[in-house]
Amino acid sequence: MGHTVPELSRVGTVELLDHDRLPGTATGPGAPGSMLLLHGFGDDKTGLRAIGDALCPAGSVAVYPSLRAHGTSPAPAWGYSPLDFAADVQRILDPAAEPLHVIGYSYGALVAAVLGVALGPRRISSVALLDQSFERLPERYEADEWAEASFLKWHYDYHHLLDALENLGIPVLSVVARQSPVVPEAERTRMLARSQRGGHFSCVVTEGTHQSFLRNSATGIIEKFYARFMETCT
């Protein structure tokens, strides 16, 4: 990927996210190109490294940011909506580079969906959303250290992002962990029904908790999604 974006930090107007850009090493079936991997709350840029190592092919690049207030990335006093997180990530992307296959886990999945809609198919080739709800659930709000992010997530409905991604022609995969409480049963049912309609959206329910499915099944499910993506492009 190019080196134009880091020049932003030299003018003193922004603090960029801490992030790694690593060459792909996968030699088997995997992503059809370069990748962007977005972790969830409480993690950092290493959180999805195993998935990137397994799927990012030689000759491509995997980008791993630590989202704001995670790892050594900037932690402003406020600004924790999905749009704020997405804007941070946009600043570290090279607009002249090849389109990216984005994977987002938990809150990172919401950020991934925002990015896909904002940047469109010229910059985003596909979006994989790992165990995240997109519907309004204000009863889940918690006034803890992530109070602002919790309010802006659970008090707003983001399912329209899925509509927008489909309308843009960007393939979307939603992976739901069966033993995880994150995606309510009713929303899971609606996602599966949406998947049955065909089009650019697919949903897979897999065994495991919110944490365990990342280790046990996520990579294989995403790999199959990429295989279907490549079939439709040939």
Side-chain angles (χ1 to χ4, degrees):
M1 303 183 79
H3 299 286
T4 57
V5 173
E7 293 179 0
L8 284 170
S9 61
R10 297 191 193 128
V11 299
T13 58
V14 294
E15 289 185 81
L16 298 181
L17 297 178
D18 176 39
H19 63 285
D20 292 333
R21 300 168 187 260
L22 302 180
T25 58
T27 56
S34 292
M35 303 176 69
L36 169 67
L37 298 101
L38 305 175
H39 63 81
F41 274 150
D43 213 334
D44 63 16
K45 62 185 180 181
T46 65
L48 299 183
R49 188 66 52 84
I51 293 177
D53 286 346
L55 295 179
C56 189
S60 294
V61 173
V63 182
Y64 303 91
S66 286
L67 300 177
R68 64 169 51 193
H70 292 77
T72 59
S73 286
W78 61 275
Y80 288 88
S81 81
L83 281 72
D84 293 310
F85 281 94
D88 287 341
V89 176
Q90 185 178 356
R91 291 186 187 100
I92 65 169
L93 300 181
D94 186 341
E98 65 178 299
L100 296 163
H101 295 273
V102 185
I103 297 175
Y105 167 60
S106 195
Y107 198 86
L110 189 54
V111 179
V114 173
L115 272 173
V117 173
L119 300 184
R122 291 188 178 181
R123 291 295 298 118
I124 305 298
S125 292
S126 70
V127 178
L129 309 170
L130 307 183
D131 207 39
Q132 179 57 277
S133 169
F134 287 82
E135 298 185 2
R136 181 175 179 271
L137 296 166
E139 66 274 13
R140 293 192 177 183
Y141 171 71
E142 295 185 20
D144 57 13
E145 68 268 28
W146 291 107
E148 183 189 2
S150 179
F151 178 85
L152 293 170
K153 164 64 181 87
W154 296 118
H155 283 74
Y156 287 86
D157 189 336
Y158 293 96
H159 84 275
H160 64 281
L161 295 173
L162 306 182
D163 297 332
L165 289 168
E166 274 206 280
N167 290 337
L168 288 167
I170 297 175
V172 179
L173 168 68
S174 173
V175 182
V176 179
R178 193 182 302 276
Q179 283 75 42
S180 167
V182 173
V183 182
E185 184 66 33
E187 183 179 359
R188 182 187 309 180
T189 299
R190 285 188 284 272
M191 282 190 176
L192 288 170
R194 183 190 193 111
S195 184
Q196 294 300 313
R197 298 202 307 259
H200 296 284
F201 181 86
S202 60
C203 178
V204 174
V205 177
T206 186
E207 298 301 322
T209 66
H210 186 60
Q211 291 79 25
S212 69
F213 88 101
L214 278 178
R215 300 187 302 270
N216 299 329
S217 60
T219 299
I221 293 169
I222 298 168
E223 188 174 76
K224 291 178 182 177
F225 170 64
Y226 288 152
R228 293 196 302 274
F229 174 87
M230 287 186 282
E231 287 176 2
T232 61
C233 291
T234 57

